[in-house]
Amino acid sequence: MNSFTEENYLKAIFKLSKHKEEVSTNAVADELNTKASSVTDMIKKLADKKLVNYAPYKGVNLTDAGRKIAVSVIRKHRLWEVFLVDKLKFKWDEVHDLAEELEHINSEELTERLEEFLEFPKYDPHGDPIPDKNGNIDRHKEQTLADLSINETGIIVGVKDHSKSYLNYLDNVGLVLGAEVQILGVVEFDNSMSISINKQGKTIISNQASKNLYIKKPN
Amino acid sequence: MNSFTEENYLKAIFKLSKHKEEVSTNAVADELNTKASSVTDMIKKLADKKLVNYAPYKGVNLTDAGRKIAVSVIRKHRLWEVFLVDKLKFKWDEVHDLAEELEHINSEELTERLEEFLEFPKYDPHGDPIPDKNGNIDRHKEQTLADLSINETGIIVGVKDHSKSYLNYLDNVGLVLGAEVQILGVVEFDNSMSISINKQGKTIISNQASKNLYIKKPN
DNA sequence: TAATATTTTTAGACTTATCTAAATTTATTT
DNA sequence: AAATAAATTTAGATAAGTCTAAAAATATTA
Ligand SMILES: [Mn+2]
Ligand SMILES: [Mn+2]
Ligand SMILES: [Mn+2]
Ligand SMILES: [Mn+2]
């Protein structure tokens, strides 16, 4: 068995691996709000357990065994978020911290029954794909609202930033999953956008806001 | 905030307090499968936090603050057990260990929404009363099946022993919550009983089995 | 009541995870 | 290629929780 802490390190390394093959000590320290020296210690332990490949000064990456654990923790995190939002009526900006704890309860039986109870959801409340029990994940489409040009339209399918403040802001302006957004104009100076939401009105959003919204082009 | 470990000690002391005002170091050690020396250490810490009253060699008991925490952990434990059985279709002998973990997730909001989602259950799957959010608990009726005499009838309302093997056995013979039991005979030698369950057939059960079943007399 | 047994506490050690400060290695500038 | 800067690792401490073995206190029994 692995401790909560070990699971959190594996999850952090997994997340950071999307951007770079080799993950640096400092990147992990930042992600987990801890110190580089603590990261070095933990990485050595994970390397002893063959959950990461590690060469001093060269960074880490996950072994297959490590990746399997990371994905299973992510699977549980996202399933619990669906439970909290769909069944307990939490809002999408309230569930992350609770899921951060629930994700460490290790019981295949529990996870599978929860998944069934939730009717096999494919995405969590933030639009992130839920890995299946074999560890397969839908690759996330990387197109954001900021990538669209004038007059183009997109459907919101996910958020990149999961912070309470961002999610709250999105709620307030109506930028929720499934909303249809059309670009009315882009300010060249700061890339802020003027948009319509579900063909309604005109809203100005910053580049900071638009580049954190995943969209898909409508069919 | 208190650690999982502290919460487990408080819960253990609460449970043992039902039988004796002052709880002994060894009793706690037994309950938690640990050593007396570890218990002494932890009790000192809990005393520093004013969660228990402690006099060396004299035993411990909970302060109001300590009791409040213990009851809130028990409340969460029992609510999660209801969730696991009612919603996820676990059997009553499968839920204890999972609830042991879930009970430590501290969020009033979560607990209250869960309780609402479950439609404010009064009892857990083993017939134990669920404390309300103010910490009030129904006093458990202390009458067991072993207390009945020939021809008397009782409805099963709870189990004292929560072990997998006992619960499993009860399932197999049909001694589940709500079952109506009538005493057909008692063997004086070992107090084993011959009973009918829901007016059906004749089953022999040991004193060990009958004294762990809580019953109420029918109206 | 004195001897013995039991219970409880203390002493000292170990593990996990963390930190600060110092040393080392790698990267970037001049 | 030195010198300087940045990143990373090591050294040494600390805190939580646990354990074994020994000491101290309490309870039992003769
Ligand atoms: Mn989340
Ligand atoms: Mn999410
Ligand atoms: Mn239980
Ligand atoms: Mn129970």
Side-chain angles (χ1 to χ4, degrees), chain A residues 3 9 34-35 37-38 41 45 57:
Chain A
S3 67
Y9 272 86
T34 184
K35 294 295 188 283
S37 55
S38 305
D41 285 349
K45 191 202 293 188
Y57 295 102

Side-chain angles (χ1 to χ4, degrees), chain B residues 53-210:
Chain B
N53 301 119
Y54 170 60
Y57 296 102
K58 305 295 181 189
V60 265
N61 54 48
L62 298 176
T63 62
D64 285 349
R67 185 173 304 102
K68 205 174 152 194
I69 294 168
V71 170
S72 120
V73 175
I74 289 165
R75 168 169 155 81
K76 286 177 283 170
H77 183 106
R78 293 179 182 169
L79 284 171
W80 280 115
E81 285 190 344
V82 173
F83 170 71
L84 294 170
V85 168
D86 284 10
K87 302 295 184 180
L88 299 197
K89 308 303 177 195
F90 279 95
K91 288 186 287 177
W92 70 345
D93 61 330
E94 300 174 317
V95 297
H96 185 78
D97 290 350
L98 285 170
E100 261 331 289
E101 300 195 49
L102 289 159
E103 71 188 3
H104 299 293
I105 294 178
N106 283 314
S107 161
E108 285 232 358
E109 191 67 26
L110 174 60
T111 308
E112 290 185 24
R113 285 180 190 243
L114 179 63
E115 184 182 33
E116 189 183 349
F117 180 61
L118 300 173
E119 298 173 85
F120 300 94
K122 291 268 165 295
Y123 300 95
D124 86 355
H126 312 103
D128 291 313
I130 296 172
D132 70 19
K133 70 176 162 185
N134 300 313
N136 306 309
I137 325 180
D138 272 23
R139 202 80 206 85
H140 214 105
K141 37 262 150 196
E142 292 295 318
Q143 193 168 36
T144 71
L145 187 56
D147 301 325
L148 294 188
S149 316
I150 293 189
N151 289 325
E152 281 192 302
T153 296
I155 309 284
I156 297 178
V157 296
V159 293
K160 195 183 274 189
D161 177 349
H162 287 194
S163 70
K164 232 184 165 68
S165 56
Y166 182 55
L167 296 173
N168 218 309
Y169 160 73
L170 293 178
D171 261 344
N172 288 337
V173 298
L175 289 168
V176 296
L177 294 199
E180 182 187 301
V181 179
Q182 185 170 23
I183 312 299
L184 305 177
V186 180
V187 176
E188 212 188 303
F189 163 61
D190 61 1
N191 289 305
S192 60
M193 283 176 158
S194 152
I195 61 174
S196 71
I197 302 169
N198 293 323
K199 305 188 200 294
Q200 306 274 309
K202 178 173 156 183
T203 307
I204 308 291
I205 64 170
S206 68
N207 181 247
Q208 168 83 348
S210 65

Side-chain angles (χ1 to χ4, degrees), chain A residues 69-122:
Chain A
I69 294 168
V71 170
S72 118
V73 174
I74 289 166
R75 169 170 154 81
K76 286 177 282 171
H77 182 107
R78 294 180 181 168
L79 284 171
W80 280 115
E81 285 190 343
V82 172
F83 170 71
L84 293 169
V85 168
D86 284 10
K87 302 296 183 181
L88 299 197
K89 307 303 176 194
F90 279 95
K91 288 186 287 176
W92 70 344
D93 61 330
E94 300 174 319
V95 297
H96 185 78
D97 291 349
L98 285 171
E100 231 20 73
E101 301 194 47
L102 290 160
E103 72 188 2
H104 299 294
I105 293 177
N106 283 314
S107 161
E108 285 233 357
E109 191 67 24
L110 173 60
T111 308
E112 290 185 25
R113 283 179 191 247
L114 180 63
E115 184 181 35
E116 188 181 350
F117 180 61
L118 300 172
E119 298 172 86
F120 300 94
K122 291 267 165 299

Side-chain angles (χ1 to χ4, degrees), chain A residues 57-191:
Chain A
Y57 295 102
K58 304 297 179 186
V60 264
N61 54 48
L62 298 176
T63 62
D64 285 349
R67 184 172 305 104
K68 204 175 153 193
I69 294 168
V71 170
S72 118
V73 174
I74 289 166
R75 169 170 154 81
K76 286 177 282 171
H77 182 107
R78 294 180 181 168
L79 284 171
W80 280 115
E81 285 190 343
V82 172
F83 170 71
L84 293 169
V85 168
D86 284 10
K87 302 296 183 181
L88 299 197
K89 307 303 176 194
F90 279 95
K91 288 186 287 176
W92 70 344
D93 61 330
E94 300 174 319
V95 297
H96 185 78
D97 291 349
L98 285 171
E100 231 20 73
E101 301 194 47
L102 290 160
E103 72 188 2
H104 299 294
I105 293 177
N106 283 314
S107 161
E108 285 233 357
E109 191 67 24
L110 173 60
T111 308
E112 290 185 25
R113 283 179 191 247
L114 180 63
E115 184 181 35
E116 188 181 350
F117 180 61
L118 300 172
E119 298 172 86
F120 300 94
K122 291 267 165 299
Y123 299 96
D124 85 356
H126 311 104
D128 291 314
I130 296 173
D132 70 19
K133 71 175 162 187
N134 300 313
N136 305 310
I137 325 179
D138 272 22
R139 202 80 204 82
H140 214 104
K141 38 263 149 194
E142 290 296 317
Q143 193 168 36
T144 72
L145 187 55
D147 301 326
L148 294 188
S149 316
I150 294 190
N151 290 323
E152 281 190 302
T153 297
I155 309 284
I156 298 178
V157 296
V159 294
K160 195 184 275 188
D161 178 349
H162 288 193
S163 71
K164 232 183 165 65
S165 56
Y166 182 56
L167 296 173
N168 218 309
Y169 160 74
L170 293 177
D171 262 344
N172 288 335
V173 297
L175 288 168
V176 297
L177 294 199
E180 182 187 300
V181 179
Q182 184 171 25
I183 313 300
L184 305 177
V186 180
V187 176
E188 211 188 304
F189 163 61
D190 62 0
N191 289 307

